[in-house]
Amino acid sequence: MNIIQLKSFIEIVDCNSFSKAAKKLRISQPALSMQLQALEEELDTKLLDRTTKTIRLTKTGKETYKYAKKIISNHKNLLKAIRIEEEILKGKVNICCSTIPGEQVLPFLIGRFKNLYPQADIKLFISDSLKVIDAVKDGIYDIGVVGVKIENEDIEFKEFIDDDLIFIASNEFVEQSGNIFKLNDIKNIPFILREEGSGTKLTFERELKKHRLSIGDLNIALILGSSQAVINAAQANLGITIVSKFAARRALQCEEISEIKFKNLEVKRKLFLVRNKKIEITPLLNKFINFILSHTTSKLIDKLY
């Protein structure tokens, strides 16, 4: 049984004529008869009584006609839904992220989403966390992913994944000074810091305040504009720094740098998906948001690394 056979059967009944049905379907009358015969053979029943000049449905023909109409209707609805879905997924999503999610997380997820929906047009831009939030609030980008949460009535923050911030130093530094320090030691060691507006810096500042410390208490050697820059500077033994474990993971695995710890000081944060609550979510954007939020931290790390 196939859709063509069912359509042929329905048209014969509706037209009450083989010739009229054949003309409407733009096929020959013998071909139409063959479609009906094939359907009757598959169902192992007679659908039409053709002993007279008029066409009458048999008892099983009436039941078949009723179900055939439903099948054709559902088939049309399915094709319509597929066309709508295809149109939806031809849309665009503009994303702006802070450095860590923008460089270490979102490219992988966008790649997986594009494998599922190749017609979707996804563009990714990178800035610092506060600029990302402002741009999303202004409607410049559809969504953002940042490492800090602020109070803003126009912006919705949804928890995305956990991100541990760790202290790193050169292997040379660790060989000479060790890898575990008292909290007050952080004041004396040259420190490489991220720029203003960085989510990493803002999170670090908040944690320092809990210990009655501030950025001003640090011996700041350098201020740099990206995670990779501070990792490279630490590796060059220009000081220690704090960075996302996502960003430092490969350098640690390759033993290019070493992790150090300060007693009683652990810095953890969430990465947040941000969007303007006043701007309507398109079907494609909704699908993309649900896709990336479905990744928990542990599963994400396993997949990415």
Side-chain angles (χ1 to χ4, degrees), residues 11-72:
E11 209 60 62
I12 293 168
V13 175
D14 289 348
C15 293
N16 198 32
S17 165
F18 274 81
S19 60
K20 289 180 180 177
K23 187 175 181 181
K24 192 170 181 180
L25 293 170
R26 298 183 179 180
I27 61 174
S28 67
Q29 192 168 325
L32 182 63
S33 297
M34 289 177 62
Q35 293 287 357
L36 178 64
Q37 182 181 350
L39 181 60
E40 289 179 325
E41 287 177 357
E42 184 167 347
L43 295 176
D44 194 23
T45 188
K46 191 175 182 181
L47 300 176
L48 297 177
D49 184 354
R50 288 165 285 176
T51 57
T52 63
K53 290 185 179 181
T54 59
I55 296 172
R56 292 187 303 172
L57 286 164
T58 64
K59 184 177 180 180
T60 54
K62 290 179 181 178
E63 285 296 305
T64 303
Y65 178 80
K66 181 172 67 175
Y67 282 103
K69 292 281 281 186
K70 289 180 180 178
I71 291 170
I72 295 301

Side-chain angles (χ1 to χ4, degrees), residues 88-97 106-107 109-115 117-125 142-143 282 284-285 287-289 291-292:
I88 286 171
L89 296 175
K90 288 179 182 177
K92 296 181 179 180
V93 175
N94 290 324
I95 310 163
C96 193
C97 300
L106 264 296
L109 295 181
I110 290 171
R112 283 170 170 77
F113 188 81
K114 288 281 287 181
N115 285 337
Y117 308 106
Q119 295 185 83
D121 184 6
I122 313 290
K123 288 186 170 62
L124 173 65
F125 304 88
D142 298 308
I143 56 170
T282 65
L284 174 60
L285 179 58
K287 190 177 288 289
F288 181 75
I289 288 172
F291 175 80
I292 67 171

